[in-house]
Amino acid sequence: MTDSFMLDPRLEATSVPVADWPLSQLRLKDDARFHWLLLVPRRPGVAELTDLDEDAYAQLAAEVLAATRVVQAVARPDKVNVAMLGNVVRQMHVHVVGRFQSDAAWPDPIWCKGAGPTYPPHALAVLRERYAEAARLHFAAL
């Protein structure tokens, strides 16, 4: 059920929508330091994996795999990190982050590096479209 789904304002303010998959909204984080996607299940009140039933959990796993492939296709990173924290924003969201040995945080985790510069609007729009196209291709392969 997605009728009463509302995106946390902090996620909405710091990312842009890329695609709507069966369970999750795929979003691009507006942080120019990293190729960073978010998967946000469109289910109200979901904070923990245990809030999902088995079918939704399996769907989330498939979407994480597809999002990882999307980041690999678009960014060609040295490594892709996948994490689900929820200490600041309780609403369930999964981070899929392309990492490069040359990035601003390497080899450390990105979490303690603060907010980075945002993309210029035109660059964000172009990158969002690249991710949207890759998302269409990789999700169709599921």
Side-chain angles (χ1 to χ4, degrees), residues 46-53 57 60 84 92 94:
V46 173
E48 303 292 343
L49 285 173
T50 53
D51 294 334
L52 299 174
D53 61 29
Y57 179 84
L60 180 62
M84 192 180 87
M92 179 186 280
V94 180

Side-chain angles (χ1 to χ4, degrees), residues 31-114:
D31 184 327
R33 299 172 300 173
F34 309 107
H35 281 263
W36 188 342
L37 297 178
L38 301 170
L39 280 166
V40 185
R42 291 186 315 277
R43 299 276 173 90
V46 173
E48 303 292 343
L49 285 173
T50 53
D51 294 334
L52 299 174
D53 61 29
E54 289 181 19
D55 290 339
Y57 179 84
Q59 183 63 45
L60 180 62
E63 292 178 6
V64 167
L65 182 60
T68 301
R69 289 181 173 148
V70 166
V71 168
Q72 289 172 323
V74 171
R76 305 270 185 231
D78 297 320
K79 177 76 175 86
V80 178
N81 295 161
V82 176
M84 192 180 87
L85 302 171
N87 297 343
V88 174
V89 175
R90 183 167 173 74
Q91 181 176 37
M92 179 186 280
H93 59 289
V94 180
H95 302 265
V96 180
V97 185
R99 298 293 309 275
F100 295 88
Q101 291 181 10
S102 61
D103 76 35
W106 188 272
D108 298 325
I110 61 173
W111 316 117
C112 299
K113 300 299 180 182

Side-chain angles (χ1 to χ4, degrees), residues 113-124:
K113 300 299 180 182
T118 58
Y119 291 100
H122 66 282
L124 182 62

Side-chain angles (χ1 to χ4, degrees), residues 20-37:
D20 281 323
W21 286 347
L23 176 67
S24 304
Q25 184 174 93
L26 182 66
R27 300 183 67 84
L28 173 63
K29 180 88 165 142
D30 190 5
D31 184 327
R33 299 172 300 173
F34 309 107
H35 281 263
W36 188 342
L37 297 178

